[in-house]
Amino acid sequence: MRRLWLLFRSELVVWRRDPITALGGVLPPALILIAFSLLFGGRLSFKIAVVNQDEGPYGSILRETFDEVISPLNDVPYYAVFDLSERDAHIAYERGEMDGIWVIPPDFSERVVAQEDPHIEMWFNNYNDDRAKNHRIYASEIVWAFYERIGLEAPFGLAETYPREEMVDWVSVIAVGVALLSATLGSIFNMYALTYKEQVEGLILEFGLAPRSLLWVWMPKIILALLFGWGSGTIFLIVIRFWLGYWPGRLLPAALFLMGLVSLFWIGFAVVIGIRSRNYMAGALGVVLTAIIIYFIGGGMSLVRFRSEDVLKIAWLFPNTHAIDPLRDLVLFQTWPADWNPTILILSGFAFLSIIAGVSVSSRQLRRLD
Amino acid sequence: MMKRLLALLRNELVMTRTTLSIHLLGFFQPALMFSLMAFVLVMPTFELYVARSSLPLGESLVEAMVQVNSPIGDAYIEPLLVEWQQGDDIPGGQVVELAISDGMPTAVQHFDLIDSNIVKNYRNRLTSAGLILWEEELGRAAIQIEERPLLPVDVPYNVYFGMGMLPLAAWIGASFVAAFLSAQEFEFKTIQEYRLAPAHWGLVLGARLLRLSLTGLLSSMVLMITLYVFEQAWPSPLGLALGMLVLMGLIGACVGTSAALVLKQTLPSFVIALASAFFTWIMGGAFGLPAGFGGVYEAVSRWVPNSYAVRALFPLYYPIEPSHPNSYLILFVFATAAVIATILIYRKSVLSVEEVRQ
């Protein structure tokens, strides 16, 4: 135990000399989170110009409807409307300052009253099919609300039930993904920080000649890297608590357990790649970039549980994809994940295999047995 | 002088062989990331679970759901009929139940623990299907929306996404290699050779930055070709796109080099290169034109070179409007500022008397 403590302390000294690498689990995820919160956390209304040429009342009613139909996404209207002349609207639209233009023609009210094909023009930029789709389905919300406002009776009603009083917003979903990314990067960067100096200064040979088991070398490094992974992830959980108001509470140990198992997988993976690749740094870069790709394709930005068939098969080969939704259950919904047992089994398998492979492959490499 | 610059450049290119794996990562990582994300990023078609119902509304609603689509693109709903009643697990995050409420048939959308963005998507799709039924009933009283899309077809999201990743590719290719090469000069003490070199430091640094810009360009060209293979999208004129990407590579090279000159260690320099690459990518219009998002995001994006690169690339990929000469100019200003900052840091970190003494 004393030996372990001594080695542990010497590793801590290495870490203290290189604090920026230790922040590798905090700095990139923090910037990614800031960028995503600015991107998706603000007012996501489509900017459109409404050109109301109608001479009757219905054009104005339609115009007012835009402000009243609220999107569940960030609780703002689907459209941020600017009342412009047709000429100004088209200039702004062509400059890319407007997403679209709705033109209400002069005879709109007349046709509504006469029930003779009232129509409106919807100009929109379809440079990507997602925004084009949103223009079309948002328009349905506006027209539905307009019919209701003018007293038409729908053939059936629409209603919704949600299992919580408040809806979880998208940025919170992304933030938990970033917390897991942070735990992942925290453990990877610190594992590399703890082995890089040995690689650069040739100390690796001394390890290879050590009379004791090489587990003594790896144990403190693995524990420290795990602690830093936890530390980085916890920083983000605290940020989520004070910024977004979500905290796992008594479920915190379960959340940390999930993050720890994911971290252990990446620690083992990092050791294998770092030791086996001919260029140590290339191995490190490769592992970090793989973790970031897995963040993006493995549910970092959206829930995967309900659309699992759309998740790439390769993403399921990494523990993050399995852990992310149970982690969201714990943090955002404060509920015990229904798939907790299978998730833990899968994550433990990943972690166990990765650590065993990491330690045995790297020990053989250090002993020059390969 | 030109001869010496070319010799330095040749030396830089020879050094590529010693760090081939780092270069390969820089060249192929963005293309790999795009290739994987292209399959999962945007799915216009949502599976909508509908509980089987004996009400006549059930059948007609499902038929209407099939009609919710882009007239020039994909279907937006794939309705799936299921046996479901209250108390059962909600399949797929949402199920539509048809019930009688206050004597009126009602489509009740039951959501599971999903976020507001997915709720919005489900809600909009059900309303669209419902509106089709309502308008059938209204006949000529229904409002016709005459669509005037800017382009003849809805362009797949991947085209924009891939285009938005080109500046990231240039940045990654240049900054990662820059961070690695420059930091190792300190770690292996080879920086001393630069200090003793008879060649002017400007030539040494210039050759390094030039070669790194070309590395960034190569990285983005790999992605450009990947985008073409996936979506048959190619910039026109190509020369303008390449020129702009060289500038992005230069900015990335300056960031990576400066980080390494200050930190003098590979891993921390890499952390800075990584963080800057992804932050500027997301803030610079990675997921849509910044003007479309507005607010603080748009304001901050004005200080990020990627957003000008995206603006400059946009008309090269979409036949919409002429190029923005301002974007090139602003990008050039960014690049110049980055080079000046790198020169100052280089002089302080490599050539100052204090550093030489250390």
Side-chain angles (χ1 to χ4, degrees), chain A residues 182-213:
Chain A
S182 167
T184 304
L185 291 183
S187 50
I188 295 172
F189 269 115
N190 282 284
M191 195 63 201
Y192 280 118
L194 295 172
T195 49
Y196 186 59
K197 210 138 190 87
E198 283 93 335
Q199 289 274 358
V200 172
E201 296 183 358
L203 296 177
I204 213 97
L205 186 65
E206 292 178 21
F207 287 137
L209 297 172
R212 304 256 172 202
S213 163

Side-chain angles (χ1 to χ4, degrees), chain A residues 122 129 147 160 162 196 285, chain B residues 114 123 135 148 187 270:
Chain A
M122 184 172 78
D129 55 1
Y147 288 155
E160 290 177 359
Y162 190 72
Y196 186 59
L285 289 188
Chain B
I114 56 176
R123 180 191 289 178
E135 294 194 328
R148 301 267 194 271
E187 286 176 342
F270 170 58

Side-chain angles (χ1 to χ4, degrees), chain B residues 299-346:
Chain B
V300 177
S301 76
R302 292 199 186 112
W303 298 93
V304 175
N306 299 49
S307 53
Y308 297 98
V310 167
R311 262 178 62 177
L313 279 168
F314 193 78
L316 310 184
Y317 272 93
Y318 297 87
I320 288 181
E321 54 186 319
S323 303
H324 288 285
N326 281 351
S327 302
Y328 289 95
L329 187 66
I330 295 169
L331 210 52
F332 186 76
V333 171
F334 267 112
T336 309
V339 170
I340 291 171
T342 309
I343 289 172
L344 294 175
I345 293 170
Y346 186 87

Side-chain angles (χ1 to χ4, degrees), chain A residues 291-333:
Chain A
I292 290 182
I293 291 178
I294 294 303
Y295 164 77
F296 281 109
I297 65 169
M301 292 176 66
S302 61
L303 299 163
V304 290
R305 189 179 280 146
F306 302 116
R307 303 193 72 189
S308 54
E309 68 284 353
D310 295 332
V311 178
L312 288 179
K313 286 192 174 65
I314 195 170
W316 294 109
L317 297 177
F318 293 86
N320 302 52
T321 315
H322 299 270
I324 188 65
D325 278 358
L327 186 62
R328 288 186 177 122
D329 285 342
L330 296 166
V331 178
L332 300 179
F333 303 112

